Amino acid sequence: SQKVAKAVEGINLIPGIEPNIAERLVAIGLVSADAFEGVSSSDLLDAGFSEEEATNVLAKVQNYLESNA
């Protein structure tokens, strides 16, 4: 849908997040860097991400937020 496409576009502003990961993040409501506020790696693990994916995603989001603060 167009809404999902827009959301994936928002998450794609974060450098280094692979398209398939972006789609999975959008599916659980993480549609932008700001949406990650209060999200921990255990939240991502609960949503079916691997430990490596969760750590990776959170590090990239953190870097993005810091460089755009």
Side-chain angles (χ1 to χ4, degrees):
S1 76
Q2 198 173 355
K3 190 176 174 190
V4 169
K6 265 198 164 51
V8 169
E9 204 172 285
I11 200 95
N12 281 338
L13 294 174
I14 305 165
I17 294 189
E18 295 84 5
N20 63 322
I21 300 279
E23 283 176 27
R24 290 165 58 202
L25 293 170
V26 167
I28 59 170
L30 297 171
V31 295
S32 68
D34 295 337
F36 280 86
E37 195 167 328
V39 172
S40 69
S41 59
S42 63
D43 295 322
L44 294 178
L45 293 175
D46 290 345
F49 288 85
S50 72
E51 186 114 9
E52 189 182 349
E53 288 170 335
T55 305
N56 233 327
V57 164
L58 292 174
K60 287 169 182 167
V61 169
Q62 193 58 44
N63 286 341
Y64 175 80
L65 291 173
E66 285 169 7
S67 60
N68 290 280

